[in-house]
Structure formats: C-alpha cells, structure tokens
Amino acid sequence: MKELDLKKTIDVLNTIMEFELAGVVRYTHYSLMIIGPNRIPIVNFFKAQASESLLHAQQVGEIITGLEGHPSQKITPIEETYQHSVQDILQESLNHEKKALDLYKDLLDIVEDASIYLEEFARGQIGQEEMHNIEIKKMMRDFSLGVTE
C-alpha cells in the first residue's frame, strides 16, 4: 500500500464538507420554494436531501478530526438562478449532485491503495451520489411533454 497523503486527504475532505454543508442550505431553500399540486412529495424529497447532506458533512468532519485535521466552518458558495420551477430546481439539484460525485471521486483518487477505510467510504459515497443523479433524472422526466431524457 502507498502512504496516505494526509494534507491532500484533509484538504479534499474539507472541500467535501463545505460542499455538503452548502447542500443543506441549498436543499432547505428548494423545499421552501416548491409550489403546485405535487408540492408535498417534492418538499419531502428536498428535506430528506438536506438531512442527508448534513449527515454526510458530519461523517466527513468525524473523519477529518480522526486524521487530526481541523474541519472547515465555511460552506461552498451557492449559485442562485432565481428560477424556481420544479424543472429548474431539479436541474440545479442535478448539477449539485454531479459536482458532489466528482468530489468523492477526487477523494477516491487520493486515498486509493493508501487507506482501505477511506477508500470504502469514498466508494460508498460515490454509489449514493450516483443513485441521487439517477433519481433526479427520473424526476425530471416529463411524460406529458414526451420528454424522456
């Protein structure tokens, strides 16, 4: 096994933590902005996403402190398009989830063959983010318009 680069690992973990904390704010905002006849299940979806983002940030923070690092208190800047149709919000969510997927892949690249625990953590998060991408894409399909993306 190769030596774990602690600085790189902690740096990317802090980036992930900042991104996940931004996700809490982003998804909470989305849950407040949803209107229309399908509001309740979509609001519940975004509230669950916010809770999951917080859990992920906490998990990452625990790993950072376990590696004797210092968890960031910042959040990643949140893009605001001021477009709040369900389709627009879902597209923003998909963009966010794709970025999260990339960050966990960056973590995997750094820790692969250096830490089995961190490698498995990264792979598990990648799997979850891939599922989120699939779910959001499915939610974006609008069969009334014949769009199947």
Side-chain angles (χ1 to χ4, degrees), residues 20-130:
E20 292 286 7
L21 288 172
V24 175
V25 175
R26 172 185 298 278
Y27 289 126
T28 299
H29 174 76
Y30 291 163
S31 75
L32 299 169
M33 298 308 298
I34 298 295
I35 58 173
N38 297 315
R39 181 178 190 282
I40 300 302
I42 298 170
V43 166
N44 290 338
F45 170 77
F46 284 122
K47 285 181 179 179
Q49 291 296 105
S51 294
E52 186 172 285
S53 289
L54 179 58
L55 175 62
H56 290 174
Q58 291 168 335
Q59 290 172 324
V60 169
E62 290 291 347
I63 293 169
I64 292 168
T65 57
L67 296 174
E68 299 181 12
H70 186 268
S72 175
Q73 293 188 48
K74 297 184 277 185
I75 67 168
T76 302
I78 303 167
E79 295 176 20
E80 171 65 60
T81 64
Y82 298 97
Q83 304 298 313
H84 295 111
S85 73
V86 172
Q87 192 74 16
D88 289 328
I89 289 173
L90 288 172
Q91 184 60 57
E92 286 180 31
S93 298
L94 183 59
N95 295 342
H96 178 81
E97 293 297 330
K98 285 178 180 178
K99 175 66 175 166
L101 179 59
D102 289 343
L103 288 171
Y104 284 110
K105 286 180 178 180
D106 290 346
L107 175 63
L108 181 59
D109 287 343
I110 293 167
V111 302
E112 199 166 28
D113 295 324
S115 169
I116 292 170
Y117 171 75
L118 292 175
E119 190 175 326
E120 292 301 315
F121 174 76
R123 288 181 190 282
Q125 296 304 101
I126 289 167
Q128 286 185 35
E129 298 302 337
E130 287 177 345

